Amino acid sequence: MSIALDRREAAETLPHAAAGTSLVGLTRAQLGDALRALDLPERVIKMRVGQLWHWIYFQGVADFDRMTNVSKDLRAALSARYTLARPEVVTEQVSSDGTRKWLIRMPPVAQDRLAGKNMGAEIECVYIPESDRGTLCISSQVGCTLTCTFCHTGTQKLVRNLTSQEIVQQLVVARDQLGDYPGLTAPTNGLIPSGEGVRAVSNVVFMGMGEPLYNFENVRDAIGVLSDGEGLSLSKRRITVSTSGVVPEIPALGDQAGTMLAISLHAVRDDLRNTLVPLNKKYPISELLQACRDYPGASNARRITFEYVMLKGVNDSPAEARELVRLLKGIPAKINLIPFNPWPGTIYECSDWETIERFSDIVFNAGYASPVRTPRGRDILAACGQLKSETEKLRARARLIEED
Ligand code: SAH
Ligand code: SF4
């Protein structure tokens, strides 16, 4: 155990060559600024940004020399000052069900250096292949300031917002790992969905670490990059932002990002939701549901997903299922029942299968498709609410070693 820790400490002291200089993950505006810093005349900036955009996001190149329509001089100037470095993939774990989890180490950003760290954020990112889609679960923060009692991430102390670049880089890493760029033919290895027009990563959900609406601007800017049709080309209908209920930011998400919305509801009464999702004390269920009724763009074709984690003896009675149906009346909704994923030290248990089925039947008979989300990647702690970065685990281990 201590050997692993020593290795990690040694790595922390190594300088990261690409720190702060990679163009990968930047928005069009940020790329424009990067080109201005090379003294390019204003009249060519937009055109040059378009070229970089195509090579970085559509073709996925990692070498300036492959940008064949960019002049040699500019390529030299670019590589003297910038890189196309990706964050490091520290580990890859593949679950028996094909789910993959990557531990990604970002180079340090200004905020890390100000905090006296020469190591950047470490983020776990999960890829879930299914027959007709591939979903990437990405993080918006390291840790989370909220303290939902059933969520492992909420127990992590270390918290900071990810930059929009760090958010985009998670998709870039996944596309690198899966060989999946719009400008490339997706590999047909049977492990990931493929076929005419099918991308290995076809959907993105902000259901990793963090509360995306507490980092709204960076999430919005990142969504702009992910959904740009000349680059990474994800449809906004295939990007879902999940929130525990930051009511004041919900209209802005609809207006400025235009993605699908998921609400972590988990309880039908304020007293219980106050315990499970303490943010409810600030924004109670009635206000949250009103924000959903008003969500820009919601319709029967673009339903809001309500996530409901099944906790044994806590929120899983038939009466609660009926109340859930009553509460959601008039909202174009889908209901996602999530079997609770246990983690070490939790006080909760997952509801029994029969209880989940009974709950699901009531919801289904009321006219809602109520898929029970099959837990994926449980064996590699990649399921919802199990994400917690390796650094934190190592710190906890270090504390144990110190206490020994
Ligand atoms: N902070 C956001 C997004 C990240 S959490 C949010 O809370 O919505 C993604 C989803 O996983 C949420 O619905 C969350 O409630 C759920 N979740 C958290 N811990 C879980 C656990 N241990 N088992 C099952 N689902 C969990
Ligand atoms: Fe944060 Fe979401 Fe976990 Fe709550 S459920 S602690 S908001 S990550």
Side-chain angles (χ1 to χ4, degrees):
M1 226 183 248
S2 59
I3 293 171
L5 189 73
D6 290 342
R7 238 187 271 143
R8 182 61 60 111
E9 278 172 347
E12 280 187 40
T13 58
L14 288 176
H16 198 294
T21 56
S22 176
L23 299 184
V24 176
L26 297 187
T27 61
R28 283 183 190 265
Q30 289 168 330
L31 281 178
D33 290 342
L35 289 172
R36 278 182 201 99
L38 297 178
D39 291 333
L40 260 68
E42 198 55 41
R43 64 189 154 75
V44 303
I45 298 281
K46 197 165 169 222
M47 183 265 292
R48 293 296 186 200
V49 166
Q51 290 176 326
L52 287 176
W53 197 262
H54 175 83
W55 289 111
I56 296 173
Y57 296 124
F58 194 80
Q59 302 285 357
V61 306
D63 180 353
F64 288 113
D65 279 336
R66 290 196 46 210
M67 301 183 170
T68 42
N69 61 353
V70 176
S71 72
K72 257 195 159 160
D73 287 352
L74 180 54
R75 279 178 351 222
L78 283 165
S79 46
R81 180 132 178 191
Y82 303 116
T83 75
L84 295 172
R86 276 75 168 137
E88 182 189 351
V89 177
V90 183
T91 56
E92 174 180 61
Q93 284 171 276
V94 183
S95 156
S96 51
D97 67 15
T99 300
R100 290 163 195 233
K101 180 165 86 171
W102 297 295
L103 175 65
I104 302 174
R105 184 186 295 152
M106 306 284 176
V109 298
Q111 210 182 329
D112 298 316
R113 291 198 203 91
L114 280 174
K117 294 188 210 131
N118 65 351
M119 197 184 164
E122 292 199 341
I123 300 159
E124 285 168 353
C125 197
V126 179
Y127 173 67
I128 306 157
E130 287 167 280
S131 57
D132 62 338
R133 70 181 64 192
T135 304
L136 187 70
C137 177
I138 63 178
S139 298
S140 54
Q141 299 182 308
V142 184
C144 185
T145 50
L146 298 173
T147 49
C148 304
T149 43
F150 55 89
C151 175
H152 201 197
T153 305
T155 65
Q156 188 174 328
K157 286 204 190 69
L158 185 81
V159 180
R160 83 159 164 80
N161 282 338
L162 295 178
T163 64
S164 61
Q165 180 175 32
E166 289 170 323
I167 296 170
V168 173
Q169 282 178 337
Q170 296 172 64
L171 178 59
V172 171
V173 165
R175 290 226 156 135
D176 283 348
Q177 296 288 313
L178 300 167
D180 174 43
Y181 281 91
L184 300 176
T185 311
T188 48
N189 57 11
L191 286 173
I192 51 178
S194 60
E196 186 68 30
V198 178
R199 304 241 59 87
V201 181
S202 58
N203 294 53
V204 162
V205 293
F206 282 82
M207 293 186 187
M209 285 197 281
E211 170 47 58
L213 298 190
Y214 271 3
N215 186 15
F216 176 69
E217 286 174 7
N218 290 333
V219 166
R220 176 201 58 200
D221 291 352
I223 289 166
V225 180
L226 303 183
S227 62
D228 188 298
E230 290 169 13
L232 293 164
S233 302
L234 274 177
S235 155
K236 286 187 175 183
R237 302 179 58 128
R238 288 173 172 271
I239 302 176
T240 302
V241 173
S242 174
T243 178
S244 57
V246 187
V247 168
E249 300 291 347
I250 291 178
L253 180 74
D255 286 332
Q256 297 176 38
T259 60
M260 305 300 278
L261 173 67
I263 301 287
S264 295
L265 192 62
H266 307 318
V268 292
R269 296 186 324 269
D270 281 323
D271 59 343
L272 178 59
R273 195 164 189 270
N274 286 346
T275 316
L276 299 177
V277 183
L279 186 66
N280 193 70
K281 290 182 217 150
K282 215 164 168 187
Y283 309 117
I285 294 176
S286 60
E287 285 180 28
L288 178 56
L289 294 184
Q290 191 54 46
C292 293
R293 283 192 192 90
D294 300 339
Y295 186 65
S299 67
N300 282 341
R302 302 192 56 168
R303 290 171 187 268
I304 296 172
T305 302
F306 288 86
E307 295 158 281
Y308 197 95
V309 63
M310 300 298 297
L311 303 169
K312 189 178 197 163
V314 174
N315 65 354
D316 59 357
S317 69
E320 282 161 310
R322 286 190 289 272
E323 179 60 10
L324 177 62
V325 168
R326 199 192 63 75
L327 274 180
L328 298 187
K329 221 173 177 168
I331 303 177
K334 280 190 285 193
I335 297 171
N336 227 331
L337 302 180
I338 316 175
F340 171 64
N341 289 308
W343 38 273
T346 179
I347 54 167
Y348 298 107
E349 281 177 74
C350 183
S351 308
D352 304 324
W353 190 246
E354 306 82 74
T355 312
I356 298 180
E357 271 188 339
R358 202 169 22 160
F359 199 102
S360 160
D361 283 347
I362 295 171
V363 168
F364 179 79
N365 289 334
Y368 293 98
S370 59
V372 179
R373 201 198 285 164
T374 335
R376 299 290 302 263
R378 265 193 180 174
D379 52 343
I380 55 170
L381 276 184
C384 296
Q386 289 183 317
L387 298 188
K388 195 165 179 248
S389 76
E390 205 64 25
T391 7
E392 183 68 10
K393 281 181 228 154
L394 283 164
R395 281 208 186 94
R397 264 186 234 164
R399 277 196 295 275
L400 282 178
I401 293 167
E402 277 164 21
E403 284 161 16
D404 269 352

mmCIF file of all heavy atoms in Angstrom, residues 378-394:
data_model
loop_
_atom_site.group_PDB
_atom_site.id
_atom_site.type_symbol
_atom_site.label_atom_id
_atom_site.label_comp_id
_atom_site.label_asym_id
_atom_site.label_seq_id
_atom_site.Cartn_x
_atom_site.Cartn_y
_atom_site.Cartn_z
ATOM 1 N N ARG A 378 -20.636 -2.057 -11.820
ATOM 2 C CA ARG A 378 -20.562 -2.078 -10.353
ATOM 3 C C ARG A 378 -19.248 -2.664 -9.853
ATOM 4 O O ARG A 378 -18.710 -2.229 -8.845
ATOM 5 C CB ARG A 378 -21.704 -2.918 -9.784
ATOM 6 C CG ARG A 378 -22.896 -2.088 -9.398
ATOM 7 C CD ARG A 378 -23.842 -2.917 -8.559
ATOM 8 N NE ARG A 378 -24.998 -2.117 -8.179
ATOM 9 C CZ ARG A 378 -26.050 -2.607 -7.537
ATOM 10 N NH1 ARG A 378 -26.087 -3.872 -7.195
ATOM 11 N NH2 ARG A 378 -27.051 -1.834 -7.216
ATOM 12 N N ASP A 379 -18.744 -3.669 -10.618
ATOM 13 C CA ASP A 379 -17.526 -4.343 -10.162
ATOM 14 C C ASP A 379 -16.300 -3.431 -10.198
ATOM 15 O O ASP A 379 -15.300 -3.707 -9.562
ATOM 16 C CB ASP A 379 -17.271 -5.628 -10.995
ATOM 17 C CG ASP A 379 -17.303 -5.386 -12.502
ATOM 18 O OD1 ASP A 379 -17.827 -4.341 -12.925
ATOM 19 O OD2 ASP A 379 -16.775 -6.228 -13.247
ATOM 20 N N ILE A 380 -16.377 -2.318 -10.955
ATOM 21 C CA ILE A 380 -15.217 -1.409 -10.964
ATOM 22 C C ILE A 380 -15.583 -0.064 -10.308
ATOM 23 O O ILE A 380 -14.983 0.958 -10.585
ATOM 24 C CB ILE A 380 -14.663 -1.190 -12.405
ATOM 25 C CG1 ILE A 380 -15.761 -0.704 -13.365
ATOM 26 C CG2 ILE A 380 -14.006 -2.466 -12.938
ATOM 27 C CD1 ILE A 380 -15.246 -0.247 -14.731
ATOM 28 N N LEU A 381 -16.603 -0.077 -9.453
ATOM 29 C CA LEU A 381 -17.085 1.136 -8.768
ATOM 30 C C LEU A 381 -17.281 2.285 -9.761
ATOM 31 O O LEU A 381 -16.830 3.399 -9.537
ATOM 32 C CB LEU A 381 -16.118 1.568 -7.660
ATOM 33 C CG LEU A 381 -16.245 0.900 -6.305
ATOM 34 C CD1 LEU A 381 -15.266 1.546 -5.316
ATOM 35 C CD2 LEU A 381 -17.644 0.974 -5.697
ATOM 36 N N ALA A 382 -17.951 1.959 -10.884
ATOM 37 C CA ALA A 382 -18.157 2.989 -11.908
ATOM 38 C C ALA A 382 -19.606 3.423 -11.964
ATOM 39 O O ALA A 382 -19.972 4.250 -12.765
ATOM 40 C CB ALA A 382 -17.735 2.457 -13.275
ATOM 41 N N ALA A 383 -20.461 2.836 -11.119
ATOM 42 C CA ALA A 383 -21.881 3.176 -11.211
ATOM 43 C C ALA A 383 -22.149 4.521 -10.545
ATOM 44 O O ALA A 383 -21.306 5.061 -9.833
ATOM 45 C CB ALA A 383 -22.694 2.065 -10.564
ATOM 46 N N CYS A 384 -23.350 5.050 -10.794
ATOM 47 C CA CYS A 384 -23.736 6.361 -10.269
ATOM 48 C C CYS A 384 -23.402 6.486 -8.793
ATOM 49 O O CYS A 384 -23.718 5.593 -8.025
ATOM 50 C CB CYS A 384 -25.233 6.573 -10.349
ATOM 51 S SG CYS A 384 -25.875 6.608 -11.972
ATOM 52 N N GLY A 385 -22.881 7.598 -8.425
ATOM 53 C CA GLY A 385 -22.671 7.866 -7.018
ATOM 54 C C GLY A 385 -21.503 7.115 -6.414
ATOM 55 O O GLY A 385 -21.194 7.262 -5.251
ATOM 56 N N GLN A 386 -20.832 6.313 -7.232
ATOM 57 C CA GLN A 386 -19.678 5.586 -6.688
ATOM 58 C C GLN A 386 -18.371 6.285 -7.044
ATOM 59 O O GLN A 386 -17.315 5.868 -6.613
ATOM 60 C CB GLN A 386 -19.661 4.149 -7.225
ATOM 61 C CG GLN A 386 -20.764 3.286 -6.647
ATOM 62 C CD GLN A 386 -20.689 1.861 -7.134
ATOM 63 O OE1 GLN A 386 -20.459 1.607 -8.304
ATOM 64 N NE2 GLN A 386 -20.882 0.920 -6.240
ATOM 65 N N LEU A 387 -18.485 7.329 -7.872
ATOM 66 C CA LEU A 387 -17.247 7.971 -8.325
ATOM 67 C C LEU A 387 -16.637 8.826 -7.216
ATOM 68 O O LEU A 387 -17.291 9.617 -6.582
ATOM 69 C CB LEU A 387 -17.520 8.865 -9.545
ATOM 70 C CG LEU A 387 -18.049 8.157 -10.771
ATOM 71 C CD1 LEU A 387 -18.083 9.115 -11.948
ATOM 72 C CD2 LEU A 387 -17.208 6.952 -11.113
ATOM 73 N N LYS A 388 -15.391 8.638 -7.052
ATOM 74 C CA LYS A 388 -14.673 9.382 -6.022
ATOM 75 C C LYS A 388 -13.225 9.229 -6.431
ATOM 76 O O LYS A 388 -12.780 8.113 -6.643
ATOM 77 C CB LYS A 388 -14.934 8.734 -4.664
ATOM 78 C CG LYS A 388 -14.562 9.595 -3.510
ATOM 79 C CD LYS A 388 -15.182 9.047 -2.242
ATOM 80 C CE LYS A 388 -14.808 9.878 -1.061
ATOM 81 N NZ LYS A 388 -13.947 9.204 -0.135
ATOM 82 N N SER A 389 -12.522 10.335 -6.562
ATOM 83 C CA SER A 389 -11.257 10.159 -7.257
ATOM 84 C C SER A 389 -10.206 9.424 -6.423
ATOM 85 O O SER A 389 -10.257 9.389 -5.209
ATOM 86 C CB SER A 389 -10.713 11.498 -7.733
ATOM 87 O OG SER A 389 -10.188 12.167 -6.641
ATOM 88 N N GLU A 390 -9.316 8.838 -7.189
ATOM 89 C CA GLU A 390 -8.247 8.018 -6.638
ATOM 90 C C GLU A 390 -7.393 8.788 -5.627
ATOM 91 O O GLU A 390 -6.980 8.248 -4.606
ATOM 92 C CB GLU A 390 -7.371 7.561 -7.803
ATOM 93 C CG GLU A 390 -6.617 6.298 -7.574
ATOM 94 C CD GLU A 390 -7.515 5.079 -7.392
ATOM 95 O OE1 GLU A 390 -8.660 5.075 -7.876
ATOM 96 O OE2 GLU A 390 -7.070 4.151 -6.718
ATOM 97 N N THR A 391 -7.172 10.078 -5.915
ATOM 98 C CA THR A 391 -6.356 10.888 -5.000
ATOM 99 C C THR A 391 -6.923 10.849 -3.591
ATOM 100 O O THR A 391 -6.212 10.688 -2.616
ATOM 101 C CB THR A 391 -6.386 12.393 -5.390
ATOM 102 O OG1 THR A 391 -7.314 12.581 -6.430
ATOM 103 C CG2 THR A 391 -5.042 12.933 -5.676
ATOM 104 N N GLU A 392 -8.259 11.005 -3.554
ATOM 105 C CA GLU A 392 -8.911 11.035 -2.249
ATOM 106 C C GLU A 392 -8.741 9.694 -1.543
ATOM 107 O O GLU A 392 -8.482 9.635 -0.347
ATOM 108 C CB GLU A 392 -10.386 11.387 -2.449
ATOM 109 C CG GLU A 392 -11.172 11.524 -1.169
ATOM 110 C CD GLU A 392 -10.767 12.717 -0.319
ATOM 111 O OE1 GLU A 392 -9.998 13.574 -0.801
ATOM 112 O OE2 GLU A 392 -11.197 12.772 0.824
ATOM 113 N N LYS A 393 -8.856 8.599 -2.331
ATOM 114 C CA LYS A 393 -8.699 7.277 -1.719
ATOM 115 C C LYS A 393 -7.278 7.137 -1.169
ATOM 116 O O LYS A 393 -7.063 6.637 -0.088
ATOM 117 C CB LYS A 393 -8.958 6.178 -2.750
ATOM 118 C CG LYS A 393 -10.425 5.952 -2.987
ATOM 119 C CD LYS A 393 -10.626 4.837 -3.984
ATOM 120 C CE LYS A 393 -11.617 5.262 -5.041
ATOM 121 N NZ LYS A 393 -11.448 4.574 -6.295
ATOM 122 N N LEU A 394 -6.321 7.649 -1.965
ATOM 123 C CA LEU A 394 -4.930 7.544 -1.519
ATOM 124 C C LEU A 394 -4.700 8.366 -0.269
ATOM 125 O O LEU A 394 -4.010 7.945 0.648
ATOM 126 C CB LEU A 394 -3.991 8.006 -2.638
ATOM 127 C CG LEU A 394 -3.814 6.958 -3.733
ATOM 128 C CD1 LEU A 394 -3.213 7.585 -4.974
ATOM 129 C CD2 LEU A 394 -2.925 5.823 -3.252
#
